[in-house]
DNA sequence: CGCAATATTGATTAGTATCAACAGAAGTGG
DNA sequence: CCACTTCTGTTGATACTAATCAATATTGCG
């Protein structure tokens, strides 16, 4: 599993011990005292509303930031580890650490890329067909993995089907049916741990709305 | 129309002349050379993919930032004025302007609140029923307006129905039917320029998923 | 006033949520 | 090592919602 570092900025980040699957990096509602840079592993961000419905807001790979969603000084979502992760904490101590980052702009660029990812997910969610949303997710996730130097045809799915369905705005039954249809068409090979794209052009066509 | 300023930071922002409705503050694909702080008016952010489908990614009121969505140094969306707006530009000249902002943290807090708004919109989009999405938007927009000291029952709609439907992930026909249903139930009064909430508790119940 | 753009209303179809039953994997304890 | 339980995911039948296609109405503007 590759490890990614933020160039020139490791020294202002605080390296943490590895987090094991299922553990929380930070919790919604707690005082927001740090941003976290994911170096390895996969992290999901999620929030629960007052009715108790969970919403999965994102899956985060190495080189990405989590803990950026804050309201009135408290985290608006939780960061949960899906696959053993190492992260760097950037303490938001209002005393100059952030300044060093901002100065060199790498931090702001990470935030800006995060925004872009989010708006792409918005675009995906605004698709009405479940097939289009799964295909769009495969396309977009493949691109993210490729940027990390991984295989873009082999999408790891450390998250549960429930989490993925929630993230894609559909029920688990619908997700199961869509993956079933894609498998029957020979487009993908779905296992618990991976979604392997066998016919990239067919998937790309079905997720064409994600090509900016 | 109230004007909002970013405390202690006006001096690093560059005040622009007012933008009239329909004009672009910045364009998707152009070199991202600034962030923009909305002081007055309403701004929509949108992007068009290679198929030509437009996606409205947000509506932005005073005190909010736009131009944050960047990828590889270019804007990933466009900022279009819906209602005459004045904005402050923060040139991203890599020479220390941003540093002043980050130092006092107000800028990062604006970005964090933006993230939170976005995740709330994600939650709204993940609702399957169109009624829930309109109600959720009314709830959330009301709260944003209230923070600005405006009336949270009277939601101005300077955007077209097409834009609003697009933003809410439904067709204009569906939006029209939902507003029609809400009006028939006596929950709202819909005109072209405003959506007035007559029965706040009913709307809040229908948009209960938005209560964090 | 008349044209063009935008919005509403209607009928039909397609897709997904829901409810329910079943299958498989993972973990537990004898 | 194997029954047993539990959790997760799959498959099936039905109802309901929203997209689509089409027509009409309204608004805005020259």
């Amino acid at each position: 599993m590759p490890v990614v570092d933020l160039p020139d900025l490791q020294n202002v980040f605080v390296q943490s011990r590895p987090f094991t699957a299922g553990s929380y990096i930070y919790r919604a509602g707690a005082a927001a005292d740090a941003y976290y840079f994911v170096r390895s592993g996969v992290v999901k961000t999620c929030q629960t509303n007052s009715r108790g419905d969970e919403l999965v807001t994102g899956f985060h790979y190495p080189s990405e930031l989590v803990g950026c969603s804050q309201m009135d000084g408290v985290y608006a979502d939780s960061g949960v580890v899906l696959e053993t992760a190492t992260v760097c904490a950037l303490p938001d101590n209002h005393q100059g650490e952030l300044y060093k980052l901002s100065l060199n702009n790498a931090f702001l660029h990470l935030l800006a890329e995060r925004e872009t990812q989010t708006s792409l997910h918005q675009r995906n969610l605004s698709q009405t067909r479940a097939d289009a949303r799964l295909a769009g997710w495969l396309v977009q996730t493949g691109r993210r993995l490729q940027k990390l130097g991984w295989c873009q045809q082999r999408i790891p799915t450390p998250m549960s089907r429930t989490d993925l369905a929630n993230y894609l705005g559909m029920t688990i039954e619908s997700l199961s049916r869509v993956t079933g249809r894609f498998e029957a068409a020979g487009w993908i090979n779905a296992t618990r741990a991976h979604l392997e794209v066998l016919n990239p052009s067919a998937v790309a066509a079905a997720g064409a709305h994600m090509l900016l």
Side-chain angles (χ1 to χ4, degrees), chain A:
Chain A
M1 171 72 73
V3 172
V4 175
D5 276 311
L6 192 55
D8 308 324
L9 293 175
Q10 296 96 314
N11 43 342
V12 294
F13 272 113
V14 178
Q15 166 79 46
S16 77
R17 59 173 170 70
F19 285 91
T20 54
S23 57
Y24 282 71
I25 298 175
Y26 62 94
R27 283 178 189 272
D33 52 357
Y35 291 77
Y36 296 92
F37 176 79
V38 180
R39 290 183 71 219
S40 68
V42 185
V43 176
K44 97 173 173 192
T45 47
C46 57
Q47 58 182 211
T48 303
N49 67 9
S50 53
R51 283 202 314 207
D53 328 316
E54 181 177 281
L55 174 72
V56 177
T57 54
F59 300 115
H60 303 279
Y61 299 92
S63 87
E64 298 181 5
L65 285 174
V66 295
C68 321
S69 186
Q70 308 172 7
M71 184 59 96
D72 301 328
V74 300
Y75 290 119
D77 59 19
S78 299
V80 183
V81 174
L82 294 178
E83 194 177 290
T84 307
T86 54
V87 302
C88 292
L90 173 70
D92 185 4
N93 56 13
H94 301 248
Q95 283 167 11
E97 292 289 8
L98 284 171
Y99 132 73
K100 296 178 194 168
L101 286 169
S102 303
L103 241 189
N104 107 351
N105 273 356
F107 181 70
L108 287 170
H109 288 160
L110 283 177
L111 279 172
E113 297 222 343
R114 213 188 119 91
E115 282 264 345
T116 306
Q117 286 298 333
T118 306
S119 71
L120 279 165
H121 183 225
Q122 260 184 52
R123 179 178 286 279
N124 203 32
L125 282 180
S126 76
Q127 294 296 313
T128 58
R129 286 186 195 65
D131 301 73
R133 294 204 295 281
L134 177 63
W137 183 76
L138 289 170
V139 167
Q140 181 54 22
T141 306
R143 271 198 300 225
R144 285 165 79 178
L145 297 180
Q146 192 183 31
K147 274 201 171 182
L148 294 172
W150 303 354
C151 174
Q152 75 174 314
Q153 263 72 263
R154 188 175 164 82
I155 315 281
T157 48
M159 68 293 282
S160 67
R161 293 285 196 252
T162 303
D163 278 348
L164 183 55
N166 182 314
Y167 181 66
L168 294 177
M170 62 183 79
T171 58
I172 52 168
E173 294 97 324
S174 288
L175 177 57
S176 180
R177 281 181 237 275
V178 175
T179 54
R181 261 176 268 159
F182 281 16
E183 275 199 296
W187 292 4
I188 66 168
N189 193 299
T191 68
R192 182 169 300 255
H194 293 276
L195 293 180
E196 188 157 11
V197 177
L198 305 174
N199 188 340
S201 53
V203 172
H209 60 279
M210 292 299 275
L211 307 172
L212 263 192

